[in-house]
Each structure stands twice: as C-alpha cells, then as structure tokens.
Amino acid sequence: MKRHKNLYDDVCDFENLLLSARKAQQGKRGNPRVQTFNHRIETELLTLQEELQAQTYRPGAYRTFTINDPKTRMISAAPFRDRVVHHALCNIVEPIFERVFIHDSYACRKGKGTHAAVDRFTQFMHSNEYVLKCDIKKYFASIDHEILKQLIRRKIGCPRTLWLIDLIIDHSNPQEFVDDYFPSDNLFTPSSRRKGLPLGNQTSQFFANIYLDPLDHFVKEKLGCRAFIRYVDDFVVLEQDISRMWEVHRAIEAFLHERLRLNLHPRKQFVTPVRVGIDFLGYRVFPAHRLLRRSSGYRFARRLRTMQQQYRSGVLSPASVQQRIASWVGHAKHADTYGLRTALFSQAVFCRA
C-alpha cells in the first residue's frame, strides 16, 4: 500500500492556512473570538505557521457544553486557531483517504450527506426484501487511539504530519468512559487504553470515517454485500435471503469486536422486511415513499415556538428566522410532508412585542 510523504510543507503553507481560516469561520463570523482573530488575521496565521513549522504548536483547551436534541451529547469546541489547524490538516490529508473510501460511505464527504444516503437506501430497497440495521455503541467515545494511529499510518508516511495528527488525537479531552472488554484484555485494559474523540472537531469526523473504513471494505469485499450504506456509525445491509442477513450480522459483530474494539448497540440492531419501513437518518423510509420521523416533527414544532418567542423579544432577526425555517423545510421536503408543513406554518405567527 502506497504511503504518502512530504506533506507537511503543504499543511503549513500560508495559502492553505488562509483557506482553512475561511472554512473554519463559515457560519460563525459574528462570534467575538472569530472577529478578534480576523482583526489581525495575517499576524495570527503567520504566528501559527511559525509554530507549526518549528513543531512548537500546542492545542488549547476545549470548551464543552451539552446538547439535548435529539439525545444528550457532550460537544467539545476547540479554540478558533486550533480549528484552523484542523482544517489545514484535513485539506491535505483528506483527499488521500478519499480515494480509498467506498462509494456508499456518506458522512462528512463532498457530494454525499444524509439525503444522498436515504436516496441510495430507497434504491436498494427496490431489489432487496430484508434489511439489517445497526449502529455502534458509544462510537466516538469508543474509538481506540492506538488502532486509529495504525490505520492512519497505512496511508501517511510523513513524520511531521504524523506528529501533528498524533498531537491532535492525544489532546482529545476525556469522553464518556466505556468499560467494554475484548479478547486478551485483563482487568485494567479498558482504563489503560486511550479512547475517545471529541464531538465537534473537523478532524474527529474525518478520523471517524478512517476508523470504520476497514469495516466498509470487509462488508463489501469479503462478505460480498453490494447493498451496504454507512453514515458515521449508523449502517444498513440489504439482502434477499433472511438467513444470509443473520450470517452477515454475526460476521460484522465479530469483525468489530476483534479488529476495532467496538460493539454494536444492543438495542439498535435488527433484521426486518423492507416493506414495513425503516427509521434511517431522520426519515421513515419505505420502498415507494418516505415520511419524516414523528419525533423530528415534534422537535421542530417546539423549536418553532421558541423562535416565535425569541423573535417577539428581539433576540432573533427576520433573516435568522428565515434561515432556520428554510433549513428545516429543505430537510422535510425530502419526505411526504406537505400536510405537516401546511399545519405547522398556518399557525405560526411572528410579530414583535
């Protein structure tokens, strides 16, 4: 397997850092930290470039907060200058891995995304009777640092680039503890191995795709499953034969356990006929149509009421309200939601106090 070298100068290149700063600030230009950085952007980027070239760069502390929509998760926000470095690294390294990722991996990749994944899922439903749906137990908190670094080294052979990658991985803040045991583990192994990547990092999303790439190739090439789709740790396999489905399930479970130190979520794995419809990436998908998940409709109705209150008190501008509503409508239009949208917006009135 070809290993790529001499990448670090491209990572540190001033034009790459400038492009990365522009990417990192998308949607956040009103943030005071971003405005401070932009006020002296040339000096900030030159300082960052010098630190990277001298390998004296050190990441700052994460700012953590919790979100509860749709489930409780801890989000870790890196300082803005660190986010610039994350983008700079991904700009150079990501295309190398993009060439080996399978077509049907849809998370955090150009030209992919949830809607493309659901469209592909619908296409597979037309020629298969059964679907195996799984996701991985506490995926980001379970990513093993040593295994991740080994997978990265299969493609990257540049020592300085590996230094920066290792620095970012090792700087991950503590995540939820996962005390799973695997073959040959002793009593202290779960606490002695470094695990977990922070949700919210550009690099974490990229590393998460690298970590499960061996699973993608195993399912497609070793098991011969043509109808396979993965979005982060949520994946489906479709087949005609239900007994074949359970064979695939056992093989995937063993592969994750033995090769990647991961477990399937015990309550989120099942085999079912495609005709009954499957919850996938926010939709209830059937072979001939799809619906928005009921919980998604309820959540947006709550957000709509909150937006009305914030608009009335002057917290939200008309442009902000329009942007948030347009974002949800763009998602909802990929399902049969005309009646739902009509009902929600016929009752929504926005006025100032």
Coordinates of all heavy atoms in Angstrom, one line a residue, residues 245-276:
M245 N -28.9 -12.7 6.0 CA -28.8 -11.5 6.8 C -28.1 -11.7 8.2 O -27.3 -11.0 8.7 CB -30.2 -10.9 7.1 CG -30.8 -10.2 5.8 SD -30.4 -8.4 5.7 CE -28.7 -8.4 5.3
W246 N -28.6 -12.8 8.8 CA -28.1 -13.1 10.2 C -26.6 -13.6 10.1 O -25.8 -13.4 11.0 CB -28.9 -14.2 10.9 CG -30.2 -13.6 11.3 CD1 -31.5 -13.9 10.8 CD2 -30.4 -12.5 12.2 NE1 -32.4 -13.1 11.4 CE2 -31.8 -12.3 12.3 CE3 -29.6 -11.8 13.1 CZ2 -32.4 -11.3 13.1 CZ3 -30.1 -10.8 13.9 CH2 -31.5 -10.6 13.9
E247 N -26.2 -14.3 9.0 CA -24.8 -14.6 8.8 C -23.9 -13.3 8.7 O -22.9 -13.2 9.3 CB -24.6 -15.4 7.6 CG -25.2 -16.8 7.6 CD -25.1 -17.6 6.3 OE1 -24.5 -17.0 5.4 OE2 -25.7 -18.7 6.2
V248 N -24.4 -12.4 7.9 CA -23.7 -11.1 7.8 C -23.6 -10.4 9.1 O -22.6 -9.8 9.5 CB -24.5 -10.2 6.8 CG1 -23.9 -8.8 6.8 CG2 -24.3 -10.8 5.4
H249 N -24.7 -10.4 9.9 CA -24.7 -9.8 11.2 C -23.7 -10.4 12.1 O -22.9 -9.6 12.8 CB -26.1 -9.9 11.9 CG -26.2 -9.5 13.3 ND1 -26.0 -10.3 14.4 CD2 -26.4 -8.2 13.8 CE1 -26.1 -9.6 15.5 NE2 -26.4 -8.4 15.2
R250 N -23.6 -11.7 12.2 CA -22.6 -12.3 13.0 C -21.1 -12.0 12.6 O -20.3 -11.7 13.4 CB -22.8 -13.8 13.1 CG -24.0 -14.3 13.8 CD -24.0 -15.8 14.0 NE -24.2 -16.5 12.8 CZ -25.4 -16.8 12.3 NH1 -26.5 -16.5 12.9 NH2 -25.5 -17.5 11.1
A251 N -20.9 -11.9 11.3 CA -19.6 -11.6 10.8 C -19.2 -10.2 11.1 O -18.1 -9.9 11.5 CB -19.6 -11.9 9.3
I252 N -20.1 -9.3 11.0 CA -19.9 -7.9 11.3 C -19.6 -7.7 12.7 O -18.6 -7.0 13.1 CB -21.1 -7.0 10.8 CG1 -21.1 -6.9 9.3 CG2 -21.0 -5.6 11.5 CD1 -22.4 -6.1 8.8
E253 N -20.4 -8.3 13.6 CA -20.2 -8.2 15.0 C -18.8 -8.7 15.4 O -18.1 -8.1 16.2 CB -21.3 -9.0 15.7 CG -21.4 -8.8 17.2 CD -22.7 -9.4 17.8 OE1 -23.0 -10.5 17.4 OE2 -23.3 -8.8 18.6
A254 N -18.4 -9.9 14.9 CA -17.1 -10.4 15.2 C -16.0 -9.5 14.7 O -14.9 -9.3 15.4 CB -16.9 -11.8 14.6
F255 N -16.1 -9.0 13.5 CA -15.1 -8.1 12.9 C -14.9 -6.8 13.8 O -13.7 -6.5 14.1 CB -15.5 -7.7 11.5 CG -14.4 -6.8 10.8 CD1 -13.4 -7.4 10.1 CD2 -14.5 -5.4 10.9 CE1 -12.5 -6.6 9.5 CE2 -13.6 -4.6 10.3 CZ -12.5 -5.2 9.6
L256 N -16.0 -6.2 14.2 CA -15.9 -5.0 15.0 C -15.2 -5.3 16.3 O -14.4 -4.6 16.9 CB -17.3 -4.4 15.2 CG -18.0 -3.8 14.0 CD1 -19.4 -3.5 14.3 CD2 -17.2 -2.5 13.6
H257 N -15.6 -6.5 16.9 CA -15.1 -6.9 18.2 C -13.6 -7.1 18.2 O -12.8 -6.7 19.0 CB -15.9 -8.1 18.7 CG -15.8 -8.4 20.1 ND1 -16.6 -7.7 21.0 CD2 -15.1 -9.2 20.9 CE1 -16.4 -8.1 22.2 NE2 -15.5 -9.1 22.2
E258 N -13.2 -7.9 17.2 CA -11.8 -8.4 17.1 C -10.8 -7.4 16.5 O -9.7 -7.3 16.9 CB -11.7 -9.7 16.3 CG -12.5 -10.8 17.0 CD -12.8 -12.0 16.1 OE1 -12.2 -12.0 15.0 OE2 -13.6 -12.9 16.4
R259 N -11.2 -6.6 15.5 CA -10.3 -5.8 14.8 C -10.4 -4.3 15.3 O -9.3 -3.6 15.2 CB -10.7 -5.8 13.3 CG -10.4 -7.1 12.6 CD -8.9 -7.3 12.3 NE -8.5 -6.3 11.4 CZ -8.6 -6.3 10.1 NH1 -9.2 -7.3 9.5 NH2 -8.1 -5.3 9.4
L260 N -11.5 -3.8 15.7 CA -11.6 -2.4 16.0 C -12.0 -2.1 17.4 O -12.2 -0.9 17.8 CB -12.7 -1.8 15.1 CG -12.3 -1.8 13.6 CD1 -13.5 -1.3 12.7 CD2 -11.0 -1.1 13.3
R261 N -12.2 -3.1 18.3 CA -12.5 -3.0 19.7 C -13.8 -2.1 19.8 O -13.9 -1.2 20.6 CB -11.4 -2.3 20.5 CG -10.2 -3.2 20.5 CD -9.0 -2.5 21.4 NE -9.4 -2.4 22.7 CZ -9.3 -3.3 23.7 NH1 -8.8 -4.5 23.4 NH2 -9.7 -3.1 24.9
L262 N -14.8 -2.5 19.0 CA -16.1 -1.9 19.1 C -17.2 -2.9 19.3 O -17.1 -4.1 18.9 CB -16.4 -1.1 17.7 CG -15.5 0.1 17.4 CD1 -15.7 0.5 16.0 CD2 -15.6 1.2 18.4
N263 N -18.3 -2.5 19.8 CA -19.5 -3.3 20.0 C -20.7 -2.7 19.3 O -20.9 -1.4 19.3 CB -19.8 -3.5 21.5 CG -18.9 -4.5 22.1 OD1 -18.6 -5.6 21.5 ND2 -18.4 -4.2 23.3
L264 N -21.6 -3.5 18.8 CA -22.9 -3.0 18.3 C -23.8 -2.6 19.4 O -23.7 -3.2 20.5 CB -23.6 -4.1 17.4 CG -22.9 -4.4 16.1 CD1 -23.7 -5.6 15.5 CD2 -22.8 -3.3 15.2
H265 N -24.6 -1.6 19.2 CA -25.5 -1.1 20.2 C -26.6 -2.3 20.4 O -27.2 -2.7 19.5 CB -26.2 0.1 19.8 CG -26.9 0.8 20.9 ND1 -28.0 0.3 21.6 CD2 -26.7 2.0 21.5 CE1 -28.4 1.1 22.5 NE2 -27.7 2.2 22.5
P266 N -26.7 -2.8 21.7 CA -27.6 -3.9 21.9 C -29.0 -3.7 21.5 O -29.8 -4.6 21.2 CB -27.4 -4.2 23.4 CG -26.9 -2.9 24.0 CD -26.1 -2.3 22.9
R267 N -29.5 -2.4 21.6 CA -30.9 -2.2 21.3 C -31.2 -1.6 19.9 O -32.3 -1.2 19.6 CB -31.5 -1.2 22.4 CG -31.5 -1.9 23.8 CD -32.3 -1.0 24.8 NE -31.8 0.4 24.9 CZ -30.7 0.7 25.6 NH1 -30.1 -0.2 26.4 NH2 -30.3 1.9 25.7
K268 N -30.1 -1.4 19.1 CA -30.3 -0.8 17.8 C -29.7 -1.7 16.7 O -29.0 -1.2 15.9 CB -29.6 0.6 17.9 CG -30.2 1.6 18.9 CD -29.5 2.9 18.8 CE -30.1 3.9 19.8 NZ -29.4 5.2 19.8
Q269 N -30.0 -2.9 16.8 CA -29.6 -3.9 15.7 C -30.8 -4.8 15.5 O -31.3 -5.4 16.4 CB -28.4 -4.6 16.1 CG -28.4 -5.2 17.5 CD -27.1 -6.0 17.8 OE1 -26.6 -6.8 17.0 NE2 -26.5 -5.7 19.0
F270 N -31.2 -4.9 14.2 CA -32.4 -5.8 13.9 C -32.4 -6.1 12.4 O -31.8 -5.4 11.6 CB -33.7 -5.1 14.4 CG -33.9 -3.8 13.7 CD1 -34.5 -3.7 12.4 CD2 -33.6 -2.6 14.4 CE1 -34.7 -2.4 11.9 CE2 -33.8 -1.4 13.8 CZ -34.4 -1.3 12.5
V271 N -33.1 -7.2 12.1 CA -33.4 -7.5 10.7 C -34.9 -7.4 10.5 O -35.7 -7.9 11.4 CB -32.9 -8.9 10.4 CG1 -33.4 -9.3 9.0 CG2 -31.4 -9.0 10.5
T272 N -35.4 -6.8 9.4 CA -36.8 -6.6 9.2 C -37.1 -6.6 7.7 O -36.2 -6.2 6.9 CB -37.3 -5.3 9.9 OG1 -38.7 -5.3 9.8 CG2 -36.7 -4.1 9.2
P273 N -38.3 -6.9 7.3 CA -38.6 -6.7 5.8 C -38.6 -5.2 5.5 O -39.1 -4.4 6.3 CB -40.0 -7.3 5.7 CG -40.2 -8.2 7.0 CD -39.4 -7.5 8.0
V274 N -38.2 -4.9 4.3 CA -38.2 -3.5 3.9 C -39.6 -2.9 3.7 O -39.7 -1.7 3.9 CB -37.4 -3.3 2.5 CG1 -36.0 -3.8 2.7 CG2 -38.1 -4.1 1.4
R275 N -40.6 -3.8 3.5 CA -41.9 -3.3 3.3 C -42.5 -2.6 4.5 O -43.5 -1.7 4.3 CB -42.9 -4.4 2.8 CG -43.1 -5.4 3.9 CD -44.1 -6.5 3.4 NE -44.4 -7.4 4.5 CZ -43.7 -8.5 4.8 NH1 -42.7 -8.8 4.1 NH2 -44.1 -9.3 5.8
V276 N -42.0 -2.9 5.7 CA -42.6 -2.3 6.9 C -42.1 -0.9 7.2 O -42.6 -0.1 8.0 CB -42.4 -3.2 8.1 CG1 -42.9 -4.6 7.9 CG2 -40.9 -3.2 8.5

